[in-house]
Amino acid sequence: MMRAPITVDPGRWIRVPLDFAEERWEDAAAWAVWVSAAAVPDDAERREGIRAFALAIAELDSSRATARYWHFPDDGEPGMALDVHLAVDDGAGLLPEPADRVVVEPLETAVEVSGFSRAARRRSLVPVGDSTDGDAPVLALVEWAAAVDGIVVGMMATDTDPARLHRLIVDGDALLAGLDGRALARMVRG
C-alpha cells in the first residue's frame, strides 16, 4: 500500500489505517485496541471508550480517502476524523459545490499554503434529516482544498458540535500545510 506523503504533528493527529494488508495490526479491531492502550494505559474504563471510538473511525467508509487522520490532541479530548482525498484538477472551482441545504450561508476563505498554487477552506452548518423547522439538528462541516500540478487535495471533517469542529480548524490548516502536494500529484498522475 502506498502511503500519502503527509507530515503530521503526532501530538495532534493519529493516522488511521485504511487497509490493513501491510500494517502491523491484523485488522481495525486490533488497531483500536493498540490505540486505546497507548492513549490511556492506566484507565481501563476510559480505554474502552477510546477503543470503541477508534474502531468506529477505522470502520468508516474510506472508498474516497487517500489518508485518514484522527484528531487526538495531547492537550484535549479525541475529536473527529479527517479524510484526505485527491482528484484531478478540472479547472472548475477549488472546493466542491456546497451542500444544497445549509443553516446559514457557508463561510469560504482563501488560505495560504506553501507548496500549493491556491487553497481554500469552507465552513458550513448542514441540517440533519428532512426537517424544515429551525430546530433540526445540524452537522458542522469543514472542507479544505488545495491545488498544485494538476491535482486538488481535499480534506473534510464533520462534527455534531460546531464549537468542537471550530477548534479543529487550526490543526486542520497545519495538516494541509504538511502535505507534499507535488509528491501527491506524482502519485495521481504517475
Side-chain angles (χ1 to χ4, degrees), residues 45-135:
E45 184 176 326
R46 186 156 183 256
R47 189 169 51 245
E48 176 52 28
I50 289 173
R51 185 207 59 76
F53 197 175
L55 181 60
I57 287 173
E59 291 181 338
L60 288 171
D61 176 32
S62 62
S63 58
R64 291 191 57 225
T66 301
R68 174 172 293 150
Y69 291 91
W70 184 14
H71 191 236
F72 202 126
D74 287 343
D75 59 354
E77 290 298 311
M80 301 286 49
L82 186 147
D83 282 358
V84 178
H85 55 88
L86 303 173
V88 174
D89 185 1
D90 62 5
L94 189 58
L95 287 163
E97 289 296 316
D100 290 337
R101 296 178 10 181
V102 292
V103 175
V104 295
E105 187 68 26
L107 175 62
E108 192 169 316
T109 308
V111 292
E112 292 289 324
V113 181
S114 178
F116 289 92
S117 56
R118 56 194 171 110
R121 175 186 349 101
R122 179 172 52 225
R123 295 168 38 182
S124 307
L125 292 176
V126 180
V128 176
D130 295 329
S131 177
T132 56
D133 65 24
D135 293 333

Side-chain angles (χ1 to χ4, degrees), residues 2-7 66 69 178-187:
M2 184 181 297
R3 291 236 176 100
I6 302 173
T7 302
T66 301
Y69 291 91
L179 298 171
D180 183 341
R182 290 193 165 80
L184 289 168
R186 285 190 298 276
M187 281 176 59

Side-chain angles (χ1 to χ4, degrees), residues 23-41:
E23 295 289 347
R24 66 182 191 193
W25 308 280
E26 178 179 313
D27 56 20
W31 175 79
V33 167
W34 173 81
V35 165
S36 64
V40 285

Side-chain angles (χ1 to χ4, degrees), residues 123-125 138-140 159-167 169:
R123 295 168 38 182
S124 307
L125 292 176
V138 297
L139 184 65
D159 201 325
T160 55
D161 180 350
R164 185 171 47 218
L165 195 59
H166 176 74
R167 291 189 297 272
I169 289 174

